[in-house]
Amino acid sequence: SSGINAEYGYPHPHVPAQLHHDNVEFFKIMSVFDAQDLMEGADNIVRKTSRYQGIKSKIHSTLEDPNYHIIGKIYGWADLFFIFLSIATMLVETIPHIRVLSDTPDSMEGKLFKGLETGTVAFF
């Protein structure tokens, strides 16, 4: 084990900061630390994050865990709706009578199916 916590990217408390710094430099591993902070020792290191890290974390939590925020639940239901809509559209288009109508130039059915397909593709 390299001693680097893979989830957070910071050195394990029992790994010297110099060793972590050397590994980061050698393997070009992205690190959330400045080289100077690493040189000061593991006890003095404070995890630094970019200003976008908090936003990225909230978006990830919202989209991955529907119980995190109401927007996550809305997104989850919308995702299921568009999956079922896409499947239903594909199945309905295979019905011969509907297929003839949708293949007719400038038909209302053709425009409807094109709009549904475009909408589901845009969502995904």
Side-chain angles (χ1 to χ4, degrees), residues 1-53:
S1 173
S2 66
I4 298 172
N5 185 322
E7 183 178 356
Y8 298 108
Y10 58 85
H12 190 275
H14 302 293
V15 173
Q18 181 63 47
L19 177 61
H20 175 72
H21 175 68
D22 292 345
N23 281 333
V24 169
E25 288 298 314
F26 180 75
F27 294 108
K28 303 294 184 204
I29 298 171
M30 301 269 311
S31 178
V32 295
F33 302 102
D34 292 333
Q36 186 60 38
D37 290 338
L38 288 171
M39 302 305 288
E40 292 174 3
D43 295 335
N44 297 329
I45 293 179
V46 176
R47 184 168 178 225
K48 293 183 179 182
T49 58
S50 71
R51 63 180 142 166
Y52 302 109
Q53 188 68 28

